């Protein structure tokens, strides 16, 4: 017997409340303020939000689930947050590697983009990236590319959460050929997605080395008019720092501050060349930073001072970047592992960044870096129901002594079994439910052939 008092709250038998989903009996790693872990825990979900998290017995006594998901033998975690990527570039994955960034950009990627990138390309690339990211437990990603409105449509169809940045760059892009067009396109894009629960539209001025002061300021002004974040690459290579010192007489971070861009709505990818004064500015202004260890190593661009940034109060998330030319996959669990190891080897200190810190960067600190910590990043009542189940019934998953070490150093993206985003199950027992995976894989292979042909590689 069930009595509905108001539309959203029903009282079930024995004083129990009805909920849509209970994920039951897993090791629940909440990433909440106390970093609580429930060895035999459950999560209750109603609509797109978490209603309660706690010991299984408590949740079972209080809630009656329309849908019960057995999580025994699994870790239950907040979904991973990929803080920086360019999803349609999945279709350029492995196009040409092991070259300098300059050669890769000018000889391969810019010609490949000029000849191939259109709305259809972007849609198929986004579908491929959504499949890959969901499989690896990513529930939210931040993107910077072209035709971002089409990326938003595909992201929403896949049921993923996205902070999606339309690129501003001072040369004709595949979608918009002038700054006026970029501004008009982006304003329409921002208006369209206002208030959407999954999609956060944003302007993404590429960087200080590809955007004039005016382009940067116009993009920021537009972001602030619509309360959107600003996505940008910051201090990602030595040359950027050197040129900024020469031209602006200050570091890239100081320059962005001087021209009024730095603020609590900015998401800065990389932040490799940031000195102590820069780190103070980033922390003081509430800027979110995203560390991309695979990319930084693959392009040999440098080592971001992550431990120093964390110690200085900067919110530092994790990203895959790429996925072409600077990583080649979208597996955020690999970045957790590499973030810890890169910090350790670069300082010759195994204590430089520990497993727990690296897991924080992929979850709650990743949410802080995207300025979305009130919504996502931990399993807590009131937050969005973005959660993943990772199998502990794999040879690389047992035995388990320390949960964070297991996540960082032993488990793989492919161990992710089930993914829930905003209360919707998008992957169950390794089966994708929102994406026609065979069609996407076939199309990606076809695109590979067309791209090769367009560059005279066949
Ligand atoms: Zn990037």
């Amino acid at each position: 017997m069930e009595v509905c008092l108001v539309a959203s709250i029903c009282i079930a038998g024995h004083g129990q409340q009805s909920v849509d989903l209970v994920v039951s009996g897993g090791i629940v790693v909440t990433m909440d303020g106390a970093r609580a872990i429930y060895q035999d825990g459950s999560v209750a979900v109603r609509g797109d939000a978490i209603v309660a998290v706690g010991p299984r017995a408590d949740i079972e006594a209080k809630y009656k689930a329309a849908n019960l998901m057995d999580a025994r033998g699994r870790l239950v975690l907040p979904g991973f947050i990929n803080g920086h990527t360019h999803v349609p570039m999945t279709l350029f994955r492995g196009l040409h590697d092991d070259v300098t960034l300059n050669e890769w950009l000018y000889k391969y990627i810019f010609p490949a983009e000029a000849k191939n990138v259109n709305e259809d390309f972007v849609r198929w690339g986004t579908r491929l990236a959504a499949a890959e990211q969901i499989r690896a437990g990513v529930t939210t990603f931040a993107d910077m590319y072209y035709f971002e409105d089409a990326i938003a449509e595909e992201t929403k169809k896949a049921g993923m959460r996205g902070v999606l940045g339309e690129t501003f760059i001072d040369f004709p892009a595949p979608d918009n050929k002038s700054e006026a067009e970029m501004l008009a396109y982006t304003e329409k894009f921002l208006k369209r997605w206002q208030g959407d629960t999954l999609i956060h539209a944003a302007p993404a001025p590429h960087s200080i080395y590809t955007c004039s002061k005016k382009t940067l300021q116009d993009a920021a002004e537009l972001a602030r008019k619509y309360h959107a974040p600003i996505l940008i690459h910051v201090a990602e290579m030595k040359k950027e720092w050197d040129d900024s010192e020469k031209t602006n007489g200050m570091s890239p971070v100081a320059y962005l501050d001087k021209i009024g861009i730095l603020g609590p709505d900015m998401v800065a990818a990389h932040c490799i060349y940031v000195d102590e004064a820069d780190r103070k500015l980033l922390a003081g202004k509430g800027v979110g930073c995203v560390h991309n260890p695979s990319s930084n190593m693959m392009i040999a661009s440098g080592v971001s001072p992550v431990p120093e940034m964390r110690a200085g109060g900067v919110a530092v998330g994790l990203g895959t970047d790429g996925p072409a030319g600077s990583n080649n996959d979208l597996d955020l669990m690999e970045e957790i592992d590499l973030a810890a190891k890169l910090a350790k080897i670069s300082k010759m200190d195994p204590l430089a960044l520990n497993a727990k810190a690296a897991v924080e960067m992929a979850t709650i600190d990743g949410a802080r870096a995207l300025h979305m910590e009130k919504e996502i990043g931990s399993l807590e009542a009131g937050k969005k129901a973005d959660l993943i189940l990772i199998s502990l019934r794999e040879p690389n998953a047992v035995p388990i002594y320390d949960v964070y070490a297991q996540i960082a150093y032993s488990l793989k993206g492919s161990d992710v079994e089930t993914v829930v985003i905003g209360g919707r199950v998008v992957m169950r027992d390794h089966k994708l439910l929102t994406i026609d995976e065979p069609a996407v894989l076939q199309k990606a292979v076809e695109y590979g052939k067309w791209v090769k042909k367009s560059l005279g590689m066949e």
Side-chain angles (χ1 to χ4, degrees):
M1 156 101 181
E2 191 171 86
V3 185
C4 289
L5 298 176
V6 290
S8 62
I9 299 174
C10 297
I11 305 294
H14 311 293
Q16 283 182 314
Q17 284 185 34
S18 282
V19 289
D20 297 314
L21 170 72
V22 169
V23 178
S24 177
I27 300 177
V28 178
V29 185
T30 64
M31 304 310 291
D32 66 5
R35 299 291 183 263
I37 295 175
Y38 300 101
Q39 289 300 328
D40 183 14
S42 291
V43 183
V45 174
R46 185 183 293 121
D48 72 347
I50 295 170
V51 174
V53 184
R56 183 171 58 87
D58 294 1
I59 301 290
E60 271 178 6
K62 232 170 146 186
Y63 299 97
K64 183 173 173 276
N67 179 5
L68 191 71
M69 187 182 282
D70 184 4
R72 283 172 301 175
R74 294 157 185 98
L75 287 182
V76 182
L77 275 169
F80 295 128
I81 297 164
N82 183 0
H84 179 64
T85 185
H86 313 274
V87 287
M89 293 185 82
T90 43
L91 295 176
F92 293 135
R93 186 197 318 272
L95 175 62
H96 208 93
D97 298 306
D98 307 326
V99 290
T100 63
L101 177 60
N102 222 46
E103 196 183 341
W104 180 76
L105 276 175
Y106 290 95
K107 222 171 141 185
Y108 296 97
I109 215 66
F110 287 154
E113 285 185 332
K115 286 177 182 152
N116 295 285
V117 174
N118 54 33
E119 199 180 303
D120 201 50
F121 177 99
V122 159
R123 286 186 187 278
W124 283 103
T126 304
R127 289 170 192 152
L128 180 61
E132 187 182 355
Q133 291 193 97
I134 291 170
R135 284 206 168 282
V138 172
T139 53
T140 297
F141 68 97
D143 192 69
M144 295 170 72
Y145 209 60
Y146 312 108
F147 299 102
E148 207 67 36
D149 192 51
I151 295 176
E153 285 181 2
E154 297 304 323
T155 302
K156 193 169 170 76
K157 273 188 216 161
M160 291 192 78
R161 205 175 296 287
V163 181
L164 308 176
E166 169 65 20
T167 296
F168 282 69
I169 200 158
D170 285 349
F171 57 75
D175 51 355
N176 299 306
K177 306 299 173 199
S178 67
E179 206 220 335
E181 280 182 43
M182 286 169 201
L183 276 167
Y185 177 102
T186 309
E187 181 150 24
K188 206 171 146 204
F189 172 53
L190 291 173
K191 269 189 192 161
R192 180 182 175 192
W193 295 98
Q194 287 279 296
D196 193 89
T197 51
L198 287 175
I199 305 300
H200 299 263
H206 179 273
S207 61
I208 66 163
Y209 60 90
T210 52
C211 293
S212 69
K213 180 176 144 192
K214 182 179 182 309
T215 306
L216 293 167
Q217 287 174 330
D218 288 349
E221 196 185 310
L222 194 58
R224 281 157 192 167
K225 186 173 166 191
Y226 290 94
H227 308 288
I230 304 161
L231 310 187
I232 182 170
H233 296 97
V234 175
E236 64 170 324
M237 51 186 164
K238 179 74 165 51
K239 189 175 184 310
E240 180 184 347
W241 169 280
D242 291 342
D243 288 352
S244 182
E245 288 284 339
K246 212 185 307 167
T247 317
N248 309 316
M250 62 191 81
S251 72
V253 169
Y255 171 69
L256 284 166
D257 187 41
K258 188 184 156 217
I259 65 169
I261 314 289
L262 230 54
D265 44 8
M266 188 168 143
V267 182
H270 299 297
C271 298
I272 297 172
Y273 296 92
V274 289
D275 62 18
E276 204 183 331
D278 291 336
R279 296 196 292 270
K280 271 196 186 132
L281 262 177
L282 291 169
K285 295 276 178 171
V287 174
C289 294
V290 180
H291 177 44
N292 303 268
S294 283
S295 168
N296 298 166
M297 284 191 269
M298 191 151 163
I299 310 178
S301 48
V303 181
S304 172
V306 171
E308 290 87 342
M309 281 203 281
R310 284 174 57 89
V314 181
V316 187
L318 273 181
T320 56
D321 202 5
S326 63
N327 184 335
N328 295 7
D329 68 50
L330 294 165
D331 186 347
L332 201 77
M333 290 195 83
E334 205 171 274
E335 306 301 321
I336 299 175
D337 182 69
L338 290 174
K341 289 172 183 169
L342 177 60
K344 291 170 196 294
I345 189 65
S346 64
K347 296 196 179 303
M348 290 302 284
D349 176 7
L351 308 182
L353 193 74
N354 64 28
K356 188 178 174 192
V359 174
E360 287 171 347
M361 291 168 70
T363 54
I364 186 63
D365 285 353
R368 285 175 60 217
L370 295 184
H371 314 293
M372 290 174 73
E373 69 274 17
K374 290 199 177 93
E375 227 182 304
I376 56 170
S378 60
L379 301 178
E380 292 180 77
K383 284 204 179 181
K384 297 293 182 195
D386 292 5
L387 56 92
I388 61 174
L389 273 63
I390 305 180
S391 172
L392 294 174
R393 293 167 175 161
E394 311 295 335
N396 60 308
V398 286
I400 181 163
Y401 299 103
D402 179 279
V403 164
Y404 297 113
Q406 208 82 350
I407 297 165
Y409 307 132
S410 303
L411 295 168
K412 303 290 163 201
S414 52
D415 297 326
V416 174
E417 229 177 50
T418 293
V419 175
V420 177
I421 305 176
R424 180 184 183 191
V425 184
V426 296
M427 180 169 81
R428 185 154 208 161
D429 297 331
H430 297 285
K431 188 172 172 11
L432 295 173
L433 303 177
T434 56
I435 297 164
D436 181 354
E437 197 174 30
V440 171
L441 298 187
Q442 195 194 329
K443 198 74 178 182
V445 173
E446 281 171 27
Y447 262 109
K449 288 180 189 157
W450 297 335
V451 168
K452 266 198 214 167
K453 214 172 191 178
S454 77
L455 295 175
M457 289 166 77
E458 270 185 347

